[in-house]
Amino acid sequence: KQEVTQIPAALSVPEGENLVLNCSFTDSAIYNLQWFRQDPGKGLTSLLLIQSSQREQTSGRLNASLDKSSGRSTLYIAASQPGDSATYLCAVRPYTGNQFYFGTGTSLTVIP
Amino acid sequence: DAGVIQSPRHEVTEMGQEVTLRCKPISGHNSLFWYRQTMMRGLELLIYFNNNVPIDDSGMPEDRFSAKMPNASFSTLKIQPSEPRDSAVYFCASSLALMMWGVETQYFGPGTRLLVL
């Protein structure tokens, strides 16, 4: 079974700093990988989806990379803002089936 | 579009009672997922449907849990009887799978916070 790990579990940075969140998965046979944001008491919001054939995706200040062979993905956030404070989860979808396997998330706090 | 709608948003019940959670997916989506989120176990997939048919229910913890999708616009997750360890946030999500391995994003509802006393 696919296992997804996110390190660190929590991260606190000063405003304006660039940061990287990490996601690793055990089975490289994935169809795509998705990064989500979850605000306290809310549902998940999709940030970026990377197909297995892609190396990275960018949206505004966010850049997600994928290295399937090593089972890793990173989410880069440039010039962090207090509004970026949330929990970030990555999820991978295998080639078979329609389900996603989620990591446990990284709780990010950006200090003004 | 109103997004994925879940009800109730909060539910407090006593052990042994039946609990029914409801979900309305985004119109036109053909896949629906039920997840459970706890601090200890994170986000776990319970069951998912494709075109109203249950595809994988291996994540359903026990026979006390059941899910139905009678039509494309409605799904229920039922717990009977409920136990304190069922306390969690239950999320419903939907997506449009264009083919078996289509490109899709899952859209999540706001969740139902369940507390079983």
Side-chain angles (χ1 to χ4, degrees):
Chain A
K1 180 185 173 184
Q2 177 75 264
E3 292 190 6
V4 183
T5 305
Q6 291 185 246
I7 295 174
L11 182 64
S12 184
V13 300
E15 181 178 2
E17 193 164 294
N18 302 326
L19 59 101
V20 174
L21 307 180
N22 298 293
C23 172
S24 60
F25 45 95
T26 54
D27 187 347
S28 61
I30 65 168
Y31 189 67
N32 60 42
L33 181 146
Q34 196 161 359
W35 282 93
F36 291 85
R37 168 186 173 137
Q38 184 176 25
D39 293 283
K42 301 287 180 63
L44 280 69
T45 301
S46 177
L47 297 173
L48 290 165
L49 184 149
I50 311 177
Q51 288 297 100
S52 63
S53 58
Q54 298 175 322
R55 300 284 291 184
E56 64 179 321
Q57 281 284 344
T58 298
S59 176
R61 295 183 293 109
L62 305 180
N63 176 276
S65 67
L66 175 64
D67 184 343
K68 250 190 4 170
S69 60
S70 65
R72 293 182 190 175
S73 176
T74 62
L75 179 66
Y76 175 82
I77 302 178
S80 58
Q81 302 171 357
D84 296 331
S85 298
T87 296
Y88 291 81
L89 297 100
C90 70
V92 299
R93 184 189 167 194
Y95 273 108
T96 55
N98 206 19
Q99 73 276 30
F100 278 90
Y101 293 95
F102 279 83
T104 50
T106 294
S107 177
L108 172 66
T109 301
V110 180
I111 304 167
Chain B
D1 199 318
V4 176
I5 299 173
Q6 290 186 249
S7 64
R9 293 293 309 276
H10 302 272
E11 177 82 25
V12 181
T13 190
E14 292 186 346
M15 183 174 63
Q17 296 297 306
E18 178 180 296
V19 175
T20 300
L21 311 181
R22 298 172 177 80
C23 175
K24 176 179 170 54
I26 292 174
S27 177
H29 281 188
N30 58 4
S31 294
L32 183 139
F33 307 80
W34 282 102
Y35 292 92
R36 177 172 67 177
Q37 187 176 43
T38 61
M39 288 292 291
M40 290 295 293
R41 301 172 68 92
L43 198 63
E44 302 173 281
L45 176 68
L46 300 177
I47 185 172
Y48 78 91
F49 296 83
N50 198 40
N51 293 320
N52 311 338
V53 176
I55 302 300
D56 184 353
D57 65 354
S58 60
M60 297 286 262
E62 299 171 35
D63 291 345
R64 298 184 296 105
F65 286 70
S66 62
K68 294 182 180 179
M69 192 164 187
N71 56 62
S73 60
F74 184 66
S75 177
T76 59
L77 178 67
K78 185 176 293 187
I79 308 173
Q80 165 64 15
S82 59
E83 296 183 3
R85 59 193 169 117
D86 300 332
S87 298
V89 181
Y90 291 81
F91 288 104
C92 176
S94 71
S95 70
L96 174 61
L98 299 177
M99 61 183 76
M100 182 62 74
W101 298 287
V103 177
E104 78 282 348
T105 295
Q106 291 195 5
Y107 295 86
F108 279 73
T112 295
R113 290 186 174 275
L114 173 65
L115 177 61
V116 183
L117 302 174

